[in-house]
């Protein structure tokens, strides 16, 4: 389970938040991903392959083919994203994986020598009954924690403005700003390219961390934070 630190929130919002656990999707959790995607309102037509499809895969855009393509990646052990669970049931998804596992996303072509340096977030999906309960904040916090635990140096995302007519499944700019992402450019006419440096976060935390006294242990705290963009594509 990921430990996801997040911005402080109003007490009234905290009381409405569901209890969630976050897990990365591997072979043991493929059935859970299928369960979530094939539930009512789930992304069972795209299977989060819009930004992953190879040239050959793009020629077979039907849901069955896309499901098989994503499943093949999971079977090979490739990271594809994380699931949120509530009471043991999958309720939300975030597509986060090394940028090298996606096709061209619109950000800068840096770190070509290290395919694990930059991890990209390209999709959020949250079951309808949990939307508006700060789940997206918590999902983003867990995604960042997941990327950090896998050795990522940067988390990159491609959100849109709230009034954008498309790509809303990629999240909204304000969500990422709350977590300290900085805009570094644009992709196309609607998507912003934003980044969070995990290296600078670690260095900053080390510089400002007080030295514990010999008689006490350093304290640790974690408060999970959510609003959900409409899923498309």
């Amino acid at each position: 389970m990921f430990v996801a630190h997040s911005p402080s929130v109003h007490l009234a919002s905290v009381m409405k938040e569901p209890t969630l656990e976050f897990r990365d999707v591997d072979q043991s959790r493929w059935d859970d991903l299928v369960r979530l995607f094939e539930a009512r309102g789930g992304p069972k037509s795209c299977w989060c392959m819009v930004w992953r499809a190879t040239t050959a895969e793009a020629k077979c855009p039907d849901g069955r083919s896309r499901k098989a393509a994503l499943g093949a990646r999971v079977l090979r052990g490739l990271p594809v994203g994380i699931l949120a669970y509530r009471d043991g049931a999958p309720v939300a998804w975030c597509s986060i994986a090394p940028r090298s596992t996606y096709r061209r996303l619109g950000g800068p072509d840096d770190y070509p020598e290290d395919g694990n340096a930059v991890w990209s977030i390209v999709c959020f999906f949250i079951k309808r009954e949990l939307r508006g309960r700060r789940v997206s904040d918590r999902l983003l916090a867990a995604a960042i924690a997941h990327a950090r635990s896998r050795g990522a140096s940067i988390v990159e995302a491609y959100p849109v403005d709230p009034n954008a007519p498309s790509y809303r499944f990629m999240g909204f700019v304000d969500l990422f700003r709350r977590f300290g992402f900085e805009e570094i450019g644009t992709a196309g006419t609607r998507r912003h390219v934003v980044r969070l440096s995990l290296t600078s976060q670690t260095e900053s935390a080390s510089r400002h961390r007080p030295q514990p006294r010999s008689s006490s242990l350093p304290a640790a705290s974690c408060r999970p934070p959510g609003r959900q963009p409409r899923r498309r594509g």
Side-chain angles (χ1 to χ4, degrees), residues 81-151:
I82 63 172
L83 287 170
Y85 289 82
R86 184 188 189 196
D87 297 328
V91 295
W93 151 262
C94 177
S95 177
I96 178 167
R99 189 179 59 180
S100 58
T101 65
Y102 296 99
R103 62 184 178 87
R104 187 80 170 87
L105 288 164
D109 286 325
D110 51 358
Y111 299 96
E113 74 289 347
D114 185 356
N116 196 62
V118 181
W119 282 51
S120 293
I121 296 175
V122 303
C123 177
F124 294 92
F125 172 72
I126 296 173
K127 295 192 75 172
R128 185 176 299 277
E129 61 266 27
L130 294 181
R131 296 174 191 175
R133 300 177 66 180
R134 302 194 64 84
V135 173
S136 60
D137 287 68
R138 299 169 66 186
L139 196 54
L140 177 55
I144 295 169
H146 173 53
R148 179 184 287 112
S149 72
R150 292 293 196 95

Side-chain angles (χ1 to χ4, degrees), residues 160-214:
V160 297
D161 296 319
N163 60 350
S166 59
Y167 296 111
R168 295 163 66 87
F169 61 92
M170 302 184 87
F172 295 124
V173 173
D174 286 349
L175 168 63
F176 292 92
R177 285 176 178 161
R178 289 201 297 273
F179 281 79
F181 281 73
E182 297 182 356
E183 185 165 349
I184 62 168
T186 58
T189 59
R190 298 190 178 104
R191 291 178 294 127
H192 302 255
V193 180
V194 298
R195 277 186 169 184
L196 179 69
S197 172
L198 304 184
T199 302
S200 62
Q201 279 191 335
T202 302
E203 292 175 347
S204 176
S206 298
R207 287 196 301 269
H208 294 90
R209 186 183 298 119
Q211 295 298 319
R213 298 179 180 177
S214 58

